[in-house]
Amino acid sequence: MAVAALDQRTYQTGDREELALVHDFLRAHEAAGRESPHPRYFLAGADTHDHVEIPEEIYRVLVQVVEAMRHGHAVTVSPRSQTLTTQQAADLIGVSRPTLIKMLEAGLIEYERTASSHRRLKLSDVLDYMERRRAEQYASLAATAVSIDEADDEESVLEELKRARASV
């Protein structure tokens, strides 16, 4: 099998029984590896001695792909450069390019200017921003969580929700 070209590809669910076997193997392997201080992962070929050790990050990608496909989702693998244009970063974050520029100017994400005055962003900086934003969203949701008891009247619950919203 030839090594795949560095282009975007989408993969759909294959045979569910084979996928379940891979899923079960990965989960069992992960559970057994938790006690090991240095888990090792291998990709095996058809022959007994045909295998190569793979980095943990590649193993984690495989686990995520199998989990998604197991639930009937298609998976897209899209190679990215370590530096992104503003349009690529905006697409990754899910905002418009003008919105991204405002975020850059507000100092939310670090960037560099090239000699031609174009902005370039490190992929790691964009991913860090996305993780920070996700954490802030979860914190906001937690802050607005209100325990509602059947005995509470509607008016008091609404007042409590307004106070929680105002605090966020």
Side-chain angles (χ1 to χ4, degrees):
M1 178 164 103
V3 176
L6 292 177
D7 58 350
Q8 180 171 312
R9 295 186 185 208
T10 299
Y11 302 91
Q12 292 182 301
T13 306
D15 180 4
R16 290 205 181 258
E17 287 183 26
E18 288 178 353
L19 203 53
L21 289 173
V22 173
H23 176 266
D24 292 346
F25 170 80
L26 292 171
R27 286 292 174 225
H29 182 71
E30 187 175 83
R34 285 187 183 139
E35 297 172 8
S36 174
H38 301 288
R40 296 172 63 196
Y41 307 99
F42 293 89
L43 182 61
D47 296 330
T48 305
H49 300 291
D50 186 14
H51 65 275
V52 64
E53 186 168 355
I54 60 173
E56 183 175 356
E57 186 63 28
I58 293 175
Y59 170 78
R60 297 280 170 227
V61 169
L62 179 60
V63 169
Q64 185 177 3
V65 166
V66 169
E67 190 67 32
M69 293 177 90
R70 184 171 165 258
H71 290 293
H73 299 288
V75 175
T76 300
V77 177
S78 180
R80 300 267 183 193
S81 171
Q82 293 295 323
T83 58
L84 304 174
T85 65
T86 53
Q87 186 61 58
Q88 291 170 325
D91 291 343
L92 184 60
I93 295 171
V95 297
S96 68
R97 187 178 167 281
T99 298
L100 176 74
I101 298 300
K102 289 176 186 174
M103 293 164 57
L104 297 177
E105 290 172 354
L108 297 176
I109 306 173
E110 292 184 33
Y111 67 95
E112 297 174 353
R113 286 200 181 263
T114 63
S116 60
S117 78
H118 292 285
R119 295 175 183 92
R120 293 290 181 259
L121 296 86
K122 292 181 185 173
L123 176 61
S124 59
D125 291 338
V126 174
L127 295 176
D128 287 345
Y129 166 77
M130 292 172 67
E131 186 58 36
R132 284 192 319 270
R133 185 175 75 166
R134 184 177 298 115
E136 289 169 0
Q137 289 169 336
Y138 285 140
S140 294
L141 284 173
T144 60
V146 175
S147 176
I148 299 175
D149 189 3
E150 291 292 326
D152 292 341
D153 66 41
E154 184 177 327
E155 195 63 36
S156 65
V157 170
L158 287 173
E159 283 303 314
E160 193 170 345
L161 286 170
K162 286 179 185 177
R163 281 192 302 276
R165 185 173 181 209
S167 71
V168 173

